[in-house]
Amino acid sequence: FSTFPGSPKWRKNHISYRIVNYTLDLPRESVDSAIERALKVWEEVTPLTFSRISEGEADIMISFAVGEHGDFYPFDGVGQSLAHAYPPGPGFYGDAHFDDDEKWSLGPSGTNLFLVAAHELGHSLGLFHSNNKESLMYPVYRFSTSQANIRLSQDDIEGIQSLYGARPSSDATVVPVPSVSPKPETPVKCDPALSFDAVTMLRGEFLFFKDRHFWRRTQWNPEPEFHLISAFWPSLPSGLDAAYEANNKDRVLIFKGSQFWAVRGNEVQAGYPKRIHTLGFPPTVKKIDAAVFEKEKKKTYFFVGDKYWRFDETRQLMDKGFPRLITDDFPGIEPQVDAVLHAFGFFYFFRGSSQFEFDPNARTVTHTLKSNSWLLC
Amino acid sequence: AYPLHGAVRQDHSTMDLAQQYLEKYYNFRKNEKQFFKRKDSSPVVKKIEEMQKFLGLEMTGKLDSNTVEMMHKPRCGVPDVGG
């Protein structure tokens, strides 16, 4: 790794950013999400935190431009230079500019905005280019499906931590996030402590999501397949919160944080991600724990903390009278729920390494199993 | 017949690309354009070697096919050397 001459760095840990304008290649929400995720890559290995402002002068001003755009480093049309950014400092220092003659995307085609933004924001934080081909700060653009969720190399981590130090091990004000490691652990199918992030059906198959991966159990092959999420849906994040199939629409909705995506098969639908509040959640809801669609009633149940909401998929509106307490309507199910599946007439609630089969007619838990019993463990 | 003996047969566009690339990313100054000096002492050759070393290419000092291919790849606009 290397740093800019003089090793300029931000002299504070809380840094503001502003997205000044947008490319027309992507929905605004997608640009917002890509930038947020790119900053989180660096946030997770340093004491730095980032907050977005919508007007005025932020530390890092992010913009899209073509050709000459006022800084004597003009862009050059399609290809070659994709973007550039300035090291920490006042005024235009710290800012990141993206060449809007590129075709910005969130997948492997075109130019992946998330990947380029993560690199450029490394400059905004003080990193120069690395000659390590495996590093995010290597100057030449290389997209691979494995980079869809970007893992910093040890070189990148050493570089940024040479400027800011490591992330504090305990900080009451920091929301826990999955740690970024140069050597990510792969979940083990029959680990007795295995829990799932989200579970859903998709066209008759069962999908069990965990971190960057998912198991896929098809009806004609009980032995589950194991895949990277990014191999199927490059633009989806890892560490999902919830997923469900609204199978009257042949669509799976996938949730993480305050956003959700719609996928049909292995295609992420245009116009996503959207904010969960467009479904009718109040602003106080920041994320969904679990979601499940009940086909017979065409209702979707969203579980958040100790409560749940019910969504009418026909009217596309939240039902009145919600939220309600989970324990009132699902006796025996304790919050917080990790994931829920509806199959064979039962609800399967996943909580940690345990799974509770709930009979909605009897309103009781009928079986308690290990979460990974679906994986033939 | 070519200034850099053993290099891939170049047209003007490749030479222009190399010049622009070295100027933009490797601080190659225009008054050091000396393609016709002996290859082992040419500042251009040394600059090409510097680029090849940084980008993980074989340091041939020539605009070989791998080097030309690398120069055509999309990349960050920040230089690789200097400030």
Side-chain angles (χ1 to χ4, degrees):
Chain A
F1 71 87
S2 63
T3 57
F4 284 89
S7 296
K9 60 178 230 183
W10 298 103
R11 300 291 170 179
K12 54 185 178 176
N13 282 347
H14 188 72
I15 297 166
S16 62
Y17 72 99
R18 176 181 159 199
I19 302 173
V20 178
N21 62 5
Y22 289 82
T23 175
L24 296 179
D25 295 342
L26 293 167
R28 285 194 170 209
E29 293 88 355
S30 298
V31 175
D32 293 346
S33 171
I35 300 297
E36 187 179 344
R37 287 168 60 205
L39 286 166
K40 199 169 279 295
V41 167
W42 299 108
E43 192 176 65
E44 288 174 345
V45 294
T46 63
L48 299 175
T49 57
F50 300 94
S51 61
R52 184 176 167 196
I53 65 174
S54 55
E55 54 185 20
E57 187 72 19
D59 296 315
I60 299 174
M61 301 281 273
I62 295 164
S63 58
F64 292 83
V66 298
E68 174 57 59
H69 53 277
D71 64 359
F72 304 107
Y73 288 94
F75 286 129
D76 49 14
V78 177
Q80 261 287 318
S81 176
L82 302 176
H84 54 230
Y86 294 90
F92 68 87
Y93 284 102
D95 295 352
H97 303 158
F98 295 82
D99 185 351
D100 211 6
D101 275 329
E102 311 302 336
K103 178 64 177 170
W104 294 104
S105 74
L106 294 177
S109 63
T111 305
N112 188 280
L113 178 61
F114 171 42
L115 177 60
V116 173
H119 174 98
E120 297 305 328
L121 291 165
H123 289 314
S124 298
L125 299 179
L127 284 180
F128 205 40
H129 282 148
S130 171
N131 60 5
N132 183 327
K133 281 192 170 181
E134 303 309 314
S135 294
L136 175 61
M137 295 312 296
Y138 182 76
V140 178
Y141 178 80
R142 296 184 315 159
F143 179 87
S144 66
T145 53
S146 64
Q147 283 185 301
N149 284 305
I150 293 183
R151 291 286 173 178
L152 294 177
S153 72
Q154 191 59 34
D155 174 64
D156 296 313
I157 294 173
E158 287 175 5
I160 199 68
Q161 291 185 348
S162 75
L163 293 170
Y164 299 101
R167 185 180 179 88
S169 56
S170 62
D171 184 343
T173 63
V174 174
V175 175
V177 293
S179 62
V180 174
S181 164
K183 292 182 182 175
E185 293 180 8
T186 303
V188 176
K189 183 178 74 162
C190 294
D191 179 350
L194 180 67
S195 62
F196 297 116
D197 296 333
V199 178
T200 184
M201 293 196 68
L202 191 160
R203 295 177 177 171
E205 301 180 7
F206 295 93
L207 306 185
F208 303 86
F209 293 92
K210 180 67 176 178
D211 298 334
R212 299 185 308 134
H213 293 85
F214 70 101
W215 286 273
R216 172 188 183 191
R217 185 177 154 172
T218 65
Q219 53 196 350
W220 47 85
N221 182 7
E223 184 60 39
E225 300 172 5
F226 185 58
H227 300 287
L228 276 167
I229 294 173
S230 58
F232 279 66
W233 306 285
S235 61
L236 289 185
S238 57
L240 304 178
D241 290 335
Y244 77 93
E245 182 184 42
N247 65 358
N248 55 337
K249 297 183 177 64
D250 185 28
R251 194 175 71 165
V252 171
L253 297 194
I254 290 175
F255 297 78
K256 179 163 185 176
S258 62
Q259 295 181 314
F260 70 100
W261 292 255
V263 307
R264 178 166 282 135
N266 64 334
E267 290 183 358
V268 177
Q269 301 296 284
Y272 290 85
K274 295 182 180 178
R275 297 190 67 79
I276 59 175
H277 308 101
T278 59
L279 294 171
F281 291 103
T284 48
V285 173
K286 304 298 182 193
K287 66 185 284 288
I288 311 298
D289 293 334
V292 65
F293 174 70
E294 190 178 11
K295 181 181 174 183
E296 293 76 22
K297 297 181 180 173
K298 294 197 171 34
K299 304 277 190 182
T300 298
Y301 302 85
F302 292 102
F303 298 85
V304 182
D306 62 352
K307 299 183 179 60
Y308 78 101
W309 274 258
R310 194 175 71 193
F311 183 82
D312 188 316
E313 290 285 350
T314 304
R315 296 183 307 128
Q316 287 290 293
L317 290 172
M318 287 290 190
D319 282 341
K320 288 195 167 76
F322 289 86
R324 294 175 55 82
L325 287 174
I326 294 173
T327 49
D328 282 351
D329 296 333
F330 299 93
I333 301 299
E334 294 295 321
Q336 195 171 331
V337 174
D338 289 338
V340 188
L341 198 56
H342 186 255
F344 318 121
F346 294 95
F347 287 97
Y348 294 89
F349 288 88
F350 294 81
R351 187 165 174 267
S353 61
S354 297
Q355 179 192 171
F356 304 91
E357 180 185 83
F358 183 87
D359 183 339
N361 296 320
R363 284 170 51 88
T364 187
V365 173
T366 48
H367 285 99
T368 301
L369 309 102
K370 294 294 284 179
S371 290
N372 54 6
S373 65
W374 294 85
L375 305 180
L376 304 183
C377 292
Chain B
Y2 296 99
L4 297 172
H5 177 69
V8 172
R9 190 185 181 111
Q10 305 296 314
D11 56 23
H12 283 298
S13 63
T14 301
M15 299 298 284
D16 287 343
L17 172 66
Q19 179 181 324
Q20 289 168 19
Y21 200 93
L22 296 176
E23 286 175 356
K24 192 169 181 181
Y25 302 116
Y26 288 87
N27 200 28
F28 177 63
R29 286 173 291 177
K30 286 181 182 177
N31 61 6
E32 289 182 6
K33 267 193 296 187
Q34 295 174 353
F35 282 94
F36 298 99
K37 288 244 169 145
R38 286 182 309 159
K39 71 174 177 68
D40 59 352
S41 65
S42 165
V44 175
V45 170
K46 290 194 183 314
K47 207 43 106 163
I48 292 173
E49 287 178 340
E50 183 182 2
M51 170 182 68
Q52 289 168 329
K53 181 180 179 183
F54 189 90
L55 296 177
L57 298 166
E58 186 185 353
M59 290 172 62
T60 62
K62 303 172 187 146
L63 296 178
D64 51 63
S65 59
N66 288 335
T67 302
V68 173
E69 182 185 353
M70 182 65 84
M71 289 193 297
H72 276 103
K73 289 187 176 178
R75 57 160 289 151
C76 174
V78 175
D80 295 336
V81 299

